[in-house]
């Protein structure tokens, strides 16, 4: 019965998300399904001593993630909003796209998203900032617009999000449990990132070519966004805040560990204000919208982390984790499977890491696994099944920003953000074993 609840709850979460249900509703309801089939008490007052209840387990997961990562989400969203409002994000995107040309429109979108996310701009903000240019470029090249979410997702949530040196939290969460740095396993990380870029870009271009050959073309919509028409800041001054974020995170990570991300993002905000202060028409509004965006983003993540925490309290989950950590072969395989599966259950890379690592890190570190290898494999693995249809970023990018449906857009999105990272984590494991 507990297995039925665990996998049935995940199926319900995916189904509700595909139907457009808000994650703040879908998460608790799916977790309740899990709790009922595992005979879990509803209220803590009804649970026996030492036994988890649905309400306490869900809220423990929700609030724990909120308290650990709120400032990172807040500063990241504000930084991204400021970069967007002053035109810096668009300046970077236009510069890159102008260099690659319309014939490589999709790759230009991938590259623009990659630079912005690696520099610390929130995935959600990047999607909002790059989408207008993506529409314009796809229209110029007469490419089917249903592939825009896939291009943005591949550039934002795969090789940059989980690579060494990235200031996205998926690269920083393992530090808390493994005592590593954000540059852990950088050599293997660089090789994996290059392979993922090449593989994903070739695959995306092939899918576009096949779609065009089948008669698909760009369809104009009345509500299509228009890129900013006023003069934009230069590429150099636009890129400077991203470089500052990366530099500060590098200088501070040794003594501040994951808290260095707060300092780095704050430095990026200050740099953006100093370099572009004359370009803000509503500075207070930018801060307010960034704060609201941060709350929405972290609330959606907390909602699925809460689901994962309820799932973690069930007998079925304990059995699944025990099976994963007992897999034959390299311990890195078991770690990758565990992180990937839990990220898939929660629909969140960061949520999956926050749940999985406290469970598996002591086991693997105690058996002598290289912490740097475990950090990099876990980080890359978190970026695979997290991009299932119920992921908050997937829903936002496909439906809210791009105005597409999962039926039309998710096939390409899933291939690039699920299959490619899975191949990436397999390559990472092989390299760590051989090198």
């Amino acid at each position: 019965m507990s297995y039925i609840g665990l996998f049935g709850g995940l199926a319900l979460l995916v189904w509700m998300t595909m139907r457009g249900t808000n994650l703040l509703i879908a998460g608790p309801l799916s977790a309740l399904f899990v709790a009922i089939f595992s005979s879990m008490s509803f209220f803590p007052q009804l649970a026996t001593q030492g036994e988890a209840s649905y309400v306490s387990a869900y809220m423990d997961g929700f609030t724990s993630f909120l308290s650990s990562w709120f400032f990172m989400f807040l500063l990241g969203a504000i930084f991204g909003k400021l970069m967007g409002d002053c035109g810096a994000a668009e300046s970077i995107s236009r510069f890159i796209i102008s260099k690659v040309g319309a014939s490589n429109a999709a790759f230009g979108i991938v590259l623009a998203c990659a630079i912005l996310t690696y520099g610390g701009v929130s995935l959600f903000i990047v999607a909002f900032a790059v989408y207008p240019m993506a529409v314009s470029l796809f229209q110029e090249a007469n490419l089917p617009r249903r592939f825009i979410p896939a291009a943005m997702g591949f550039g934002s949530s795969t090789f940059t999000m989980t690579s060494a040196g990235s200031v996205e939290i998926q690269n920083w969460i393992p530090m808390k449990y493994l005592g590593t740095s954000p540059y852990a396993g950088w050599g293997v990380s660089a090789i994996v990132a290059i392979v993922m870029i090449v593989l994903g870009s070739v695959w995306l271009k092939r899918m576009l070519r096949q779609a065009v050959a089948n008669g698909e073309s760009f369809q104009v919509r009345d509500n299509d966004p228009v890129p900013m028409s006023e003069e934009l800041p230069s590429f150099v001054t636009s890129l400077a805040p991203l470089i500052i974020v990366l530099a500060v995170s590098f200088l501070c990570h040794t003594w501040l560990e994951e808290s260095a991300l707060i300092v780095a993002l704050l430095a990026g905000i200050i740099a953006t204000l100093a370099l572009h202060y004359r370009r803000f028409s509503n500075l207070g509004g930018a801060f307010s919208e960034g704060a609201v965006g941060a709350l929405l983003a972290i609330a959606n993540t907390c909602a699925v982390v809460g689901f994962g925490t309820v799932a973690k309290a069930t007998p079925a989950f304990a059995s699944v984790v025990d099976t994963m950590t007992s897999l034959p072969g390299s311990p890195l395989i078991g770690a990758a499977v565990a992180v990937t599966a839990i990220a898939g259950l929660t629909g969140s890379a960061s949520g999956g890491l926050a749940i999985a690592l406290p469970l598996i890190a002591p086991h693997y570190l105690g058996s002598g696994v290289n912490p740097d290898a475990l950090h990099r494999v876990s980080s890359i693995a978190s970026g695979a099944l997290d991009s299932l249809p119920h992921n908050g970023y997937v829903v936002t990018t496909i439906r809210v920003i791009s105005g597409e449906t999962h039926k039309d857009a998710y096939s390409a999105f899933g291939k690039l953000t699920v299959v490619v990272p899975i191949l990436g984590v397999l390559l990472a494991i092989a390299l760590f074993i051989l090198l």
Side-chain angles (χ1 to χ4, degrees):
M1 292 296 287
S2 183
Y3 278 107
I4 292 174
L6 180 62
F7 295 105
L10 174 61
L12 178 62
L13 181 59
V14 172
W15 179 80
M16 293 179 71
T17 306
M18 292 284 285
R19 299 275 296 179
T21 307
N22 189 297
L23 283 174
L24 291 173
I25 297 174
L29 285 179
S30 302
L32 180 60
F33 183 93
V34 175
I36 290 173
F37 276 84
S38 293
S39 302
M40 188 181 296
S41 300
F42 189 84
F43 297 113
Q45 294 83 359
L46 301 178
T48 59
Q49 187 174 6
E51 180 187 46
S53 70
Y54 162 73
V55 172
S56 61
Y58 188 88
M59 292 312 301
D60 282 349
F62 192 104
T63 57
S64 175
F65 190 87
L66 180 68
S67 63
S68 296
W69 300 101
F70 172 72
F71 281 108
M72 288 73 160
F73 272 80
L74 177 64
L75 294 174
I78 291 174
F79 175 51
K81 187 64 180 177
L82 293 175
M83 288 283 289
D85 283 2
C86 71
E90 184 167 338
S91 175
I92 294 171
S93 301
R94 284 192 184 182
F95 178 84
I96 294 168
I97 291 169
S98 68
K99 297 302 180 183
V100 300
S103 60
N104 296 302
F107 181 71
I109 300 304
V110 170
L111 194 57
C113 290
I115 290 176
L116 289 169
T117 51
Y118 193 81
V121 181
S122 164
L123 276 66
F124 294 89
I125 302 298
V126 169
F128 278 108
V130 173
Y131 180 67
M133 279 78 69
V135 171
S136 176
L137 201 60
F138 268 58
Q139 182 176 7
E140 181 182 348
N142 197 28
L143 298 174
R145 61 189 305 152
R146 67 184 180 91
F147 290 93
I148 292 177
M152 294 196 300
F154 178 59
S156 299
S157 64
T158 57
F159 56 91
T160 53
M161 185 179 77
T162 59
S163 289
S166 173
V167 292
E168 298 293 340
I169 62 172
Q170 290 79 7
N171 182 45
W172 286 68
I173 289 177
M175 294 167 54
K176 180 178 181 180
Y177 306 100
L178 302 175
T180 50
S181 81
Y183 303 93
W186 66 268
V188 167
S189 177
I191 296 172
V192 172
I194 292 171
V195 171
M196 289 173 66
I197 292 170
V198 173
L199 176 60
S201 298
V202 171
W203 200 356
L204 176 58
K205 192 166 187 176
R206 181 179 179 183
M207 287 188 287
L208 283 166
R209 189 184 302 117
Q210 289 176 339
V212 171
N214 291 333
E216 292 189 54
S217 60
F218 187 88
Q219 300 296 320
V220 178
R221 296 174 184 168
D222 293 336
N223 62 344
D224 277 343
V226 179
M228 295 174 65
S229 57
E230 62 266 27
E231 183 182 352
L232 296 172
S234 70
F235 172 73
V236 174
T237 56
S238 297
L239 191 64
L242 302 183
I243 296 174
I244 289 172
V245 170
L246 292 171
V248 172
S249 69
F250 174 78
L251 294 173
C252 297
H253 78 269
T254 302
W255 58 286
L256 288 179
E257 298 179 344
E258 69 270 12
S259 295
L261 187 54
I262 296 176
V263 179
L265 291 171
L266 185 59
I269 291 172
I270 294 172
T272 305
L273 292 172
L275 292 171
H276 306 292
Y277 68 96
R278 293 181 178 178
R279 297 182 179 275
F280 296 104
S281 58
N282 185 9
L283 188 58
F287 274 92
S288 297
E289 291 174 18
V292 171
L295 286 175
L296 291 175
I298 198 170
N300 282 333
T301 304
C302 288
V304 293
V305 172
F307 168 84
T309 306
V310 172
K312 187 175 72 171
T314 64
F317 186 90
S319 176
V320 169
V321 172
D322 183 63
T323 300
M324 291 174 182
T325 54
S326 301
L327 291 174
S330 170
L332 294 176
I333 297 175
V337 171
V339 172
T340 301
I342 296 172
L345 282 171
T346 60
S348 167
S350 54
L353 285 168
I355 293 172
L357 285 177
L359 296 173
I360 66 173
H363 171 80
Y364 287 118
L365 292 179
S367 62
V369 177
N370 184 326
D372 285 352
L374 185 58
H375 176 138
R376 190 53 49 209
V377 167
S378 298
S379 183
I380 298 173
S382 74
L385 293 185
D386 74 308
S387 296
L388 292 178
H390 60 293
N391 173 273
Y393 171 74
V394 175
V395 174
T396 300
T397 302
I398 291 178
R399 292 187 176 183
V400 179
I401 298 175
S402 304
E404 303 290 342
T405 64
H406 274 63
K407 179 182 178 181
D408 291 334
Y410 186 74
S411 175
F413 197 107
K415 289 173 183 176
L416 296 180
T417 63
V418 175
V419 178
V420 172
I422 287 176
L423 296 176
V425 76
L426 292 176
L427 175 60
I429 293 171
L431 290 174
F432 277 120
I433 292 175
L434 295 174
L435 297 178

